[in-house]
Structures are given as C-alpha cells and as structure tokens.
C-alpha cells in the first residue's frame, strides 16, 4: 500500500515541477536579496535579482503547460 501512495505522490509532484522550480527561484531570490540588504552587500542583493527572470519564465512555462495562460492554437493561426 505504501509504494502506491508514494508513486502517486511522486507522479503528482512531477506534474507540478515547473511551479515548484519557479516558486523556489522566487524564494531563493527573496532570501538572497534580504541577506544582501541586511549585510549591506549590494553585489549580493543585485546579483540575486538575476534569479527573478528565470523564475518568471519557469512559472510561465508551467502555466502554459496547464493551459492557464496563452492559447497554443492561436500561435499557429497568426500567420494568415
């Protein structure tokens, strides 16, 4: 019984992997910016901001895979 519950949980987590990566990117960036500000390290704070575009792209990919944003059929018909 335990292996089936574990495999179900893993398959469900695998479906939402882009969300997990995107959210973790935002969390890492937020923590790094906070650390940079608290230690008055401008380079660390500004360098952490480089995580934000990557996290936004990962969230966008996850949302598009789920069909929550964008329309995949509209991309092919725009060349009329």
């Amino acid at each position: 019984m335990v292996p089936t519950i574990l495999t179900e949980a893993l398959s469900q987590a695998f479906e939402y992997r882009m969300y997990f990566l995107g959210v973790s990117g935002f969390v890492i960036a937020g923590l790094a910016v906070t650390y940079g500000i608290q230690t008055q390290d401008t380079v660390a704070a500004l360098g952490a901001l480089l995580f934000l575009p990557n996290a936004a792209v990962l969230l966008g990919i996850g949302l598009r895979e789920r069909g929550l944003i964008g329309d995949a059929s509209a991309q092919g018909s725009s060349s009329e």
Side-chain angles (χ1 to χ4, degrees):
M1 182 166 80
V2 174
T4 59
I5 293 173
L6 184 60
T7 56
E8 277 185 35
L10 287 174
S11 67
Q12 191 71 9
F14 186 70
E15 287 183 27
Y16 295 102
R17 68 188 178 276
M18 290 298 176
Y19 296 125
F20 175 72
L21 292 172
V23 169
S24 64
F26 280 118
V27 169
I28 290 170
L31 290 173
V33 168
T34 303
Y35 172 78
I37 290 172
Q38 286 184 348
T39 59
Q40 297 179 355
D41 188 359
T42 308
V43 175
L46 292 176
L49 293 177
L50 295 174
F51 281 103
L52 293 178
N54 297 330
V57 167
L58 288 171
L59 281 176
I61 290 171
L63 291 172
R64 182 161 294 193
E65 283 180 353
R66 286 293 195 197
L68 298 175
I69 62 169
D71 189 12
S73 64
Q75 291 177 355
S77 64
S78 65
S79 63
E80 291 181 29

